[in-house]
Amino acid sequence: MIIDATRGKPNAMQVALANELINMPLTSYVTEGIDVRNYGVGDGLPAMKRIFAELLGVDAYEVIVGGNSSLNLMFDCFATFVLAEQWGSGAKFICPVPGYDRHFSISEYFGVEMINVAMTENGPDMDIVEKLAADPDVVGMWCVPVFSNPQGYVYSDETIARLAKMKTAHPHFKIFWDDAYTIHHFSGSRPTPLNILSECRKNGNESRPVMFASFSKISVAGAGVSCFAASGDSLATLRKRMNAQTIGHDKVNQQKHINFFKDVKGVEAHMQKHAAILRPKFEYAIAYMEKHLKDTGATFTRPQGGYFISVETLPGCAKRVCQICKENGVLITDAGATFPYGKDPADSNLRFAPTFLSIDELEKTLEVFCAAIKTASET
Amino acid sequence: MIIDATRGKPNAMQVALANELINMPLTSYVTEGIDVRNYGVGDGLPAMKRIFAELLGVDAYEVIVGGNSSLNLMFDCFATFVLAEQWGSGAKFICPVPGYDRHFSISEYFGVEMINVAMTENGPDMDIVEKLAADPDVVGMWCVPVFSNPQGYVYSDETIARLAKMKTAHPHFKIFWDDAYTIHHFSGSRPTPLNILSECRKNGNESRPVMFASFSKISVAGAGVSCFAASGDSLATLRKRMNAQTIGHDKVNQQKHINFFKDVKGVEAHMQKHAAILRPKFEYAIAYMEKHLKDTGATFTRPQGGYFISVETLPGCAKRVCQICKENGVLITDAGATFPYGKDPADSNLRFAPTFLSIDELEKTLEVFCAAIKTASET
C-alpha cells in the first residue's frame, strides 16, 4: 500500500463539510434581477463579489469572480500581461523560495525567467527584492503572503509596506498576490497583515498588485469559486481580456455558495470546522518532528495555518530522503519542486503535506520520513 | 418597456428544464475511483468524456472537458496557438461571414487579421477558402458547421471533405470547429455531416481541427459543461497548456450532468423538450417574415435548428433597421455584429434572435422589425 503525501489536498472529512452546499436546492433562481441559470454577468454575482471584497479588503468593483480554480485565474492574468506588457523573452520574475511549484510552472510555460529570492520568517528578503526591482527586465513577482507555501510564514507589515512603495524600473511591475490561505489559520487568530492594494494605492502604485482568492480549501476543492481583485490599469487590462474570453462563469455555483455561507462570518465559522480537523494533524506532525529530527541537523517550520510544513535537511540530502521514502511506500512532494525549474541549489528543502492523510497514514508517513532524514543525514 | 432581442439566449422555460439537475443531490461522491469533490483529473470525469466523445464522434482520449463555457475554451485554445505557433502580427484567419461575433472578438483580441469569406447554404465558399489557404500567413479558420450562426446552414459533406484535404501553405493550419448546435435541431432529424476529425485524419491532417461542444444550450446556459476535442500535435500542445493552467474543472457539475442525462440518448430526449419550445417561435417568425417581408427586397433563412434567423435587407439598410427598431423599443443584434470588426461591407445583414422572447414579445418584435425593414427599404 503506497501512501501519497505529495499534494496539499484537503482530506475526505474536509470535503464532506460542504456536502450540504453541493446538495442544496436553489429556492430561487433570480437574484438582484439576475437569472443565475442564464448567460451573462461576466464578473460575478454581486453578493459573491461582496463576500470576496470583504475577505480581501477591497471594493466590490475591484473583484472579478472566476470559475472553480484561482490557479486558472493566475494563469490567465499572467497570460494577459505576457501579451499586453510584452513579457517576452528577457522578462524576469521574482520568486521567493522555497515556493509554490504551480506558480513556477506558469512562469516557465510563458518563458519568463525566474529569479530565486530567499524567504525569511517575515516574507521574502526585501533588500534583495528591492535590488532586483531596479532592473527594468524584472516585470513582477509571486507572493503567498499568508501561510506561505510551503513554510506557513506570514509577511510582516514592513515587508508589505516595502513591496508597496519600492521603486521598480519596470513601470508596470506586477505583484501576483496569491491569498490562498487568508483565513486558513488552524491555531491562534486570523493574521491581519497590511492590505497590499491599499498600501500600493497610498504610494501611487494601485495597478501593481493582482490579488487572488479561492473557496477551493473552504468549500469544495474541485468545485469552489475563485476570484481576483485589481485596480487601475491592471483591472482595465484584465477586464478587456475577460470580455473576449467568456460570457461569465458558473453563477449557479456562486449562488449556492452565497446561500450556504451567507457572508464572511459564515465563512469564518465554517473554517473552524476545517481547523478542528487540521490542527491535530499539524500538532502531531510537529511534535513527532521535534522528537525525531532532533539530532539530524534538519529544521522545520511550525505553521499556525496553511497546508504545509517546510523541512530543511542538511545540504545535499533532500533527493535522497525522497528516494528512501519511496522505497518504503511513502510518496512525498519531489525534492526540488519548491524551486523554479525543480532545482533546489542546496538540495535541502522538502515540503511536508499532512492534510490529505488519515491519522494512521500520517503516523506511518512521519515514521518513514523522519527515519529517511536520519539515514540521509548520516550517510 | 424595451424588448431585448440582441442575444441568442435560451428563455426562462428552457433553462427551467434543467432545474432538476441543479437541485439534484449527489448520492455518491466517488466515481470510477475519483472523489468528484477533490482536486485533480484535469481532463474531466471518464463518463463525461465518453458522452462528449459520442456526441462529437471522436475517441474519449481526444476529449478534454472544460468549465461552463466553450467560448472560454476557444479563447484559451486560440491563445495557446498564438504562443506555440507564433500567430503574431501578420497572421490571418479565415472568417465565414456572416458569422459569430464572439469568434471575431477572440481573433481581434490577439491581433490576428480576419478575412471574410462568403457563406453559402453548403458552408463557406470553398473555392475562396482553398485559395486563401495557399497563403502561408493564413493560419486557421472559424467554422460553425451545424446550424451556422446566424444562418442555420449545415456544412455539406463536400465542404467538409474539402476542408479536410485542402493543401495549406501554413503547415499547422487550424480549423476551430465550433459544434455549438450539433444536436440543436427543432425540426426534422439531427444532421449527420461528415466527421471533420476522421476526414482530416484520412488525409494525414489529424492536427488540423479543434472541435468544441457545450451543454450551455442543453442543460444550463450559465452552468453547463464544455469540452474540446483534438488529436495529434494539437492535442499535445493544448494539453501542455492545460497542465500549467488548472488542476481541473468542476467535477461536481460534471457528475450532476452524468447523473441527469445518463448518456447521449438522455441528451437527445432532453433536446426534444427544447425543440418543442423553440419550434413554434421559429415557425411563427418565419411565417410572419414570409408575409411581411414579401415586397421589401429582404431575404431570410429558414433554419431547422440553432438559435438564429439571418436576414438580408437591401444593401445599405441594416443600420437604419436597427435604429428604427430601437426608436420603437426593440433592441436587435447590432448591424455589423455578424462581421469581423463589426463592419458589414453591404450593410445588409441582420441576425434575428427569437429564442429568448416570450410569444408576446416575439409578436411585437416581428411587427417592429418587419415594419422597420419596409421603411428602410423604401427610403
Side-chain angles (χ1 to χ4, degrees), chain B residues 24 29 96 99 120 137 152 164 167 201-202 204 214 238 295 332 334 342 347 353 355-356 371:
Chain B
M24 167 188 284
Y29 302 103
T120 75
D137 287 340
K167 286 210 167 58
R201 186 174 284 128
K202 267 188 220 165
S214 172
L238 294 166
D295 303 316
I332 60 173
D334 274 345
D347 184 28
T355 59
F356 187 60

Side-chain angles (χ1 to χ4, degrees), chain A residues 206-222:
Chain A
E206 66 170 352
S207 295
R208 184 173 290 179
V210 185
M211 305 166 79
F212 300 90
S214 171
F215 272 76
S216 290
K217 293 189 181 86
I218 299 173
S219 60
V220 187

Side-chain angles (χ1 to χ4, degrees), chain B residues 130-198:
Chain B
E130 285 164 351
K131 267 183 206 143
L132 288 169
D135 174 352
D137 287 340
V138 173
V139 297
M141 175 176 187
W142 288 109
C143 293
V144 183
V146 173
F147 304 127
S148 63
N149 178 349
Q151 304 88 349
Y153 293 152
V154 178
Y155 284 23
S156 70
D157 285 352
E158 192 203 329
T159 298
I160 295 172
R162 287 174 73 177
L163 285 169
K165 77 173 175 222
M166 70 181 179
K167 286 210 167 58
T168 66
H170 193 290
H172 301 142
F173 185 95
K174 304 295 175 200
I175 295 178
F176 274 58
W177 194 257
D178 183 3
D179 216 354
Y181 307 108
T182 179
I183 47 166
H184 298 58
H185 51 288
F186 45 73
S187 298
S189 55
R190 180 181 171 186
T192 52
L194 285 180
N195 186 282
I196 186 70
L197 183 53
S198 315

